[in-house]
Amino acid sequence: MEALKDGKVNMIGVWGMGGVGKTTLVKEVGKKTKELGCFRKVIEVVVSQKSIIENIQYKIADFLDLEFKKKTKEGRAEELWLRLKNEEKVLIILDDMWNEVHLKDIGIPLNENGKGCKIILTTRLLKVCESMECQVFVPIDVLDDDEAWTLFRMKANLNERVSRDILEEAEKVAKECKGLPVAIVTLATALESTKTRKGWEVARKKLESSRLVEIGNIGEEEKNAYLCIKMSYEHLKKETNQKCFLLCALYPEDHSINVEDLVRYAWCLELFGKADSIEEVRIQVLGAIDYLKDSSLLLKDGDGDGARYGP
Ligand SMILES: Nc1ncnc2c1ncn2[C@@H]1O[C@H](COP(=O)(O)OP(=O)(O)OP(=O)(O)O)[C@@H](O)[C@H]1O
Ligand SMILES: [Mg+2]
C-alpha cells in the first residue's frame, strides 16, 4: 500500500509460488485502494500462460468502454495509449504473468506527473518481475505455523468446543499443508465434517501415504498443493460434483465460468447420464456449483451464480 502511494513507484511485482495468495492479495489491495480514493479506476486483467497482447488490450478496453476503431495490434495500442495517458489515478493489475510483455505494445502509458497508470503484476517467476523492471518486489511466503493453524481451524470449523485430542490430530493434518493457503483452505473445508479423532488420523495417514506417489514433473511444494486438492476432490460426496469440477478444470485458471455454458456442455456430454430436459441438467449443475464453492474448489465470481476456477 505504501509503495502504491509513492509517486516514484509505477511498477510493483508480487511474486510467490502457486496457491500462496497472490491473486487474493492484489484483489484486496485493488478494493482497498479504490475505497480509500487512491485510484479512480482499478482494472484487473488475468494474463495467464498464453499472455496474448490482443487479449489484454481487449480486456482493458472493455473495462474502459472503449471500442477499438483500428484492426491491428499496433493501432489498438495507440488508441489505448491515447485514452489512458490523460487518465488520472488508474491502477492496472496484471495477474498471473508468465512472460515479459512490453507495456508499449499493449498501449499502457506509465504514470507521469499524476497521469497514466500504475501497475501491480503477480507472477510465480522472479525473472518476470526482473524483466518487467519492477521498482518494488513483494515476495509472498507461505503462512507461518500459527497463521496456518488459525486458517485451518476456521475453515474446518474446529472451534473451542472441539476436544483436545481431536485438535491434536487435526493439527498434524494441518501441518501437512506446509502453510500453503490453497492447500489449507481446500483440505480443511473437505474435512469439516470429520468429527472423530480416528477420522482425522485416517486423513493424515492417507495424505502421508499419497506423498510417496510420483506426480508428473513438479516440485515438492507444488506436489503438496496437488495432494491436498486431490483429497478435497475425493471428499466430494457425489459423482455429479466431481464431474462438474472436472468440467470446470478445463477452463483456464481465474476464468469466469458462465453457468449456462456449463449446463449446455453437461447436457450435450450427458455428463450426468441421460436427462429428460435441459432444466433437469441445470438443477444438477447449479447444485454442484454451490457445493463446489462451499468446498472451496471453485471461487465465487460476482454476486450471482457465477464461478471461477480457482485452485
Ligand atoms: N491470506 C489468506 N487467507 C485465507 N485464504 C487465503 C489467503 N490467501 C489465499 N487464500 C486462499 O487460497 C487460495 C489460493 O489463493 P490465490 O488464488 O490467491 O493464490 P495465487 O498465489 O494467486 O495462486 P496462483 O499462482 O495459482 O495464481 C484461494 O482459495 C484463496 O481464497
Ligand atoms: Mg493467482
Side-chain angles (χ1 to χ4, degrees):
M1 291 292 278
E2 284 307 310
L4 275 174
K5 287 183 199 154
D6 186 335
K8 290 190 239 55
V9 175
N10 286 335
M11 188 75 113
I12 298 171
V14 175
W15 154 64
M17 63 184 286
V20 79
K22 302 179 293 296
T23 302
T24 311
L25 177 76
V26 293
K27 272 185 180 293
E28 196 56 35
V29 167
K31 211 168 86 191
K32 278 265 152 57
T33 50
K34 203 161 173 222
E35 277 166 15
L36 294 171
C38 313
F39 292 96
R40 275 204 205 139
K41 291 188 175 125
V42 177
I43 308 176
E44 289 172 24
V45 182
V46 180
V47 182
S48 291
Q49 300 230 18
K50 294 192 192 89
S51 49
I52 300 166
I53 290 204
E54 191 178 9
N55 290 350
I56 307 174
Q57 288 176 327
Y58 275 107
K59 282 180 190 167
I60 298 176
D62 196 37
F63 184 91
L64 296 168
D65 283 328
L66 171 70
E67 270 192 44
F68 289 126
K69 294 190 181 65
K70 306 268 175 65
K71 296 269 183 293
T72 62
K73 195 166 67 180
E74 293 74 17
R76 286 191 299 267
E78 200 183 322
E79 282 184 59
L80 211 48
W81 183 279
L82 288 172
R83 170 68 186 269
L84 287 170
K85 88 173 166 56
N86 289 319
E87 292 258 0
E88 283 173 38
K89 299 186 177 176
V90 178
L91 174 66
I92 299 185
I93 297 174
L94 298 175
D95 189 24
D96 200 20
M97 287 187 60
W98 291 78
N99 297 296
E100 175 190 2
V101 287
H102 295 287
L103 297 179
K104 270 219 165 101
D105 294 347
I106 304 171
I108 299 178
L110 280 181
N111 169 57
E112 224 173 281
N113 304 322
K115 300 263 171 79
C117 311
K118 290 201 178 202
I119 308 277
I120 303 182
L121 65 87
T122 83
T123 179
R124 293 188 191 178
L125 309 168
L126 181 59
K127 73 171 170 36
V128 171
C129 290
E130 288 165 351
S131 59
M132 292 293 293
E133 296 180 4
C134 291
Q135 293 142 302
V136 174
F137 286 21
V138 183
I140 310 282
D141 207 349
V142 292
L143 303 178
D144 68 28
D145 284 353
D146 285 347
E147 290 167 334
W149 179 227
T150 306
L151 180 59
F152 193 93
R153 277 188 76 162
M154 197 170 82
K155 294 286 173 182
N157 208 6
L158 292 164
N159 54 36
E160 49 294 331
R161 290 192 298 276
V162 175
S163 71
R164 191 67 245 149
D165 61 334
I166 289 184
L167 286 178
E168 263 173 24
E169 202 53 46
E171 198 168 357
K172 289 184 200 159
V173 175
K175 287 226 162 71
E176 291 292 318
C177 300
K178 317 272 188 235
L180 190 66
V182 70
I184 295 171
V185 169
T186 49
L187 190 62
T189 313
L191 295 173
E192 194 199 338
S193 56
T194 310
K195 302 289 178 212
T196 60
R197 183 187 169 96
K198 189 78 201 154
W200 284 98
E201 200 183 316
V202 170
R204 176 175 56 82
K205 291 203 170 132
K206 204 166 163 200
L207 263 178
E208 282 171 0
S209 63
S210 54
R211 261 182 207 296
L212 305 171
V213 180
E214 266 315 305
I215 29 175
N217 184 23
I218 57 168
E220 215 25 60
E221 286 160 324
E222 276 181 323
K223 181 177 167 186
N224 167 46
Y226 278 105
L227 292 177
C228 293
I229 292 168
K230 178 169 172 275
M231 193 145 165
S232 314
Y233 171 79
E234 286 164 359
H235 263 78
L236 292 172
K237 289 192 186 75
K238 292 200 280 182
E239 205 188 342
T240 46
N241 296 335
Q242 290 185 332
K243 282 183 174 171
C244 195
F245 177 72
L246 294 179
L247 192 58
C248 294
L250 296 173
Y251 282 82
E253 190 184 348
D254 284 316
H255 189 92
S256 291
I257 299 175
N258 183 322
V259 177
E260 276 312 303
D261 287 345
L262 276 188
V263 172
R264 284 179 177 80
Y265 297 145
W267 164 251
C268 294
L269 292 168
E270 295 185 354
L271 201 69
F272 309 130
K274 281 224 178 300
D276 291 333
S277 67
I278 197 162
E279 189 50 35
E280 214 176 276
V281 180
R282 185 173 291 115
I283 291 167
Q284 300 239 45
V285 169
L286 287 173
I289 293 280
D290 276 348
Y291 195 85
L292 291 168
K293 283 184 192 166
D294 289 348
S295 307
S296 302
L297 284 166
L298 283 182
L299 303 173
K300 290 191 176 60
D301 190 37
D303 297 328
D305 292 331
R308 279 190 297 129
Y309 172 61

